Amino acid sequence: SWSKYVPACVVERLYISGTEATIGVSKCNATILFVDIDGFEDKCRGLPPNDILRLLENVFNVIGEVIQKHRGTLLEFIADEVLAVFNTPRAIAHHPLAGVRAAQDIHVEINSRSMLVKADGTEVFVRCRVGVHTSNILAGNIGSVKRMKYGLLGDGINQTARIKGLTSRYKTGTLCTEKVLLDDGGRAARFVCTRPVDVVAVKGKKDPTTVYEVLGPTLGFEWQVEAAKKHREAFKRYQSRSFEAGRALFQEVNNLFLQNGLVDEPSRLLMSRCAAYVATPPPADWDGVDRLKSKNFTDSPPPSPEALNPYEANVSRGLGSLNSARAIRDM
């Protein structure tokens, strides 16, 4: 029963050591994952309390099973949000890769079924937003002498939460930081298809962070691998101020997604920026960093009509973007 309140690996460690839990943390390198339900308040509107609880229970059950499958530790439920960590308190090999693979599987499993059947027989489907980040943090028992919990401390936790929030801005399922792809000898970058979507300085931070969309496995999804490769080249052109060349390449990426039934917000957004900078070049000290003024994003910036042809503009305004995990499930 205690393992339902406290992570099982923490209970096991205390039982084996035979010691009483005390306040204390230690430094570690870990991969943090935040996930929540996209548009949770809208999904709950009009639902009775018991249905909301059942919806959360069903979603959390799926997320918990996925986290356990990838040897992570589920730490917190915060409203519709889940916090999980990989490599603490149980050390695991290749924890950045475990984190992004867990993110992929969350989308596949959540998108593959309804999460609630209402009294009138209507099924409720949800989508999730996931942020993944690898960082040096403090982990251990925090709280008071009379009541404590196993928790995490450090800027990396806040950074992960901010990255998860950016998924609404770019209409993506999962975003991760460059640290996830560089740590562990770059293993995650070799096994998972990703692409840079922006360089941002999140609210309250001066240092920029390159954020990447996690598209899917590198094997078996050739068109996504091709699109990601082309997107990376376009992003380099954008960062080096070759805006016309970047715009043309982003257009090719956007077309690839459209050909596979997906509306792609990252390439559309960057194509729009390139078009704007072709018309009005940025100042000489432009560094390509988007300095964000908000913590939360419900909609992406409006598209530039000059950057899109009429068909793409209509699709962009009318449909939004499907996340890549749904494409993985359907292929």
Side-chain angles (χ1 to χ4, degrees):
S1 294
W2 280 111
S3 63
K4 293 182 178 180
Y5 292 92
V6 183
C9 50
V10 175
V11 175
E12 182 181 354
R13 189 172 63 176
L14 288 172
Y15 179 78
I16 292 173
S17 67
T19 59
E20 185 176 349
T22 57
I23 299 292
V25 295
S26 58
K27 293 180 180 179
C28 66
N29 183 259
T31 295
I32 307 111
L33 182 150
F34 268 108
V35 53
D36 69 6
I37 299 172
D38 191 12
F40 178 64
E41 290 185 5
D42 290 336
K43 291 291 181 184
C44 292
R45 191 165 289 119
L47 290 178
N50 283 343
D51 277 0
I52 295 174
L53 286 176
R54 285 198 299 127
L55 174 64
L56 286 172
E57 178 187 1
N58 293 336
V59 172
F60 289 164
N61 281 342
V62 172
I63 293 172
E65 288 172 3
V66 170
I67 297 301
Q68 186 174 19
K69 169 186 170 184
H70 292 279
R71 303 187 67 203
T73 300
L74 197 156
L75 291 180
E76 300 272 358
F77 298 110
I78 312 162
D80 65 312
E81 188 172 53
V82 174
L83 166 62
V85 65
F86 299 81
N87 204 42
T88 185
R90 174 177 55 186
I92 65 170
H94 315 309
H95 58 87
L97 179 60
V100 291
R101 280 183 167 166
Q104 289 178 291
D105 282 355
I106 286 170
H107 291 301
V108 171
E109 295 299 325
I110 291 292
N111 291 350
S112 68
R113 68 194 83 171
S114 68
M115 289 293 111
L116 177 70
V117 179
K118 297 193 285 187
D120 62 2
T122 305
E123 294 183 311
V124 177
F125 293 85
V126 304
R127 287 169 48 185
C128 286
R129 308 184 303 166
V130 187
V132 185
H133 177 48
T134 298
S135 179
N136 293 319
I137 60 172
L138 298 175
N141 298 327
I142 58 178
S144 68
V145 174
K146 292 187 176 180
R147 184 165 181 174
M148 64 186 72
K149 69 171 185 177
Y150 188 89
L152 311 177
L153 298 172
D155 186 62
I157 294 86
N158 293 331
Q159 180 86 331
T160 312
R162 301 283 178 85
I163 296 301
K164 182 215 68 183
L166 288 175
T167 58
S168 293
R169 187 173 201 249
Y170 304 107
K171 299 192 187 307
T172 56
T174 298
L175 290 176
C176 74
T177 61
E178 195 168 40
K179 283 283 290 178
V180 175
L181 304 179
L182 294 180
D183 275 26
D184 191 30
R187 178 176 289 263
R190 293 197 300 274
F191 287 96
V192 178
C193 182
T194 62
R195 58 171 171 169
V197 297
D198 216 345
V199 180
V200 300
V202 297
K203 186 176 181 181
K205 297 294 176 185
K206 294 182 179 179
D207 295 333
T209 300
T210 304
V211 290
Y212 290 76
E213 180 185 11
V214 178
L215 288 168
T218 54
L219 296 177
F221 301 94
E222 287 75 13
W223 78 265
Q224 283 194 341
V225 174
E226 180 187 354
K229 181 179 179 181
K230 202 175 289 285
H231 186 104
R232 287 192 293 270
E233 179 59 32
F235 196 78
K236 288 179 183 177
R237 301 290 181 90
Y238 167 72
Q239 287 285 300
S240 64
R241 302 175 68 105
S242 299
F243 300 119
E244 188 59 62
R247 179 184 180 278
L249 283 169
F250 283 127
Q251 177 74 69
E252 292 181 26
V253 174
N254 200 266
N255 289 341
L256 272 173
F257 276 86
L258 284 172
Q259 290 164 15
N260 286 274
L262 296 172
V263 180
D264 185 50
E265 177 65 13
S267 61
R268 186 212 62 77
L269 174 62
L270 288 164
M271 187 165 53
S272 175
R273 286 187 192 170
C274 286
Y277 287 141
V278 167
T280 307
D285 61 352
W286 179 83
D287 58 3
V289 178
D290 194 9
R291 291 173 172 81
L292 307 178
K293 306 299 182 184
S294 174
K295 294 181 181 179
N296 302 305
F297 300 91
T298 55
D299 294 297
S300 64
S304 166
E306 295 79 14
L308 301 171
N309 63 47
Y311 169 72
E312 289 166 337
N314 289 335
V315 172
S316 171
R317 294 185 184 103
L319 297 179
S321 177
L322 301 175
N323 66 53
S324 298
R326 180 164 299 207
I328 294 170
R329 186 201 73 192
D330 294 338
M331 291 179 68

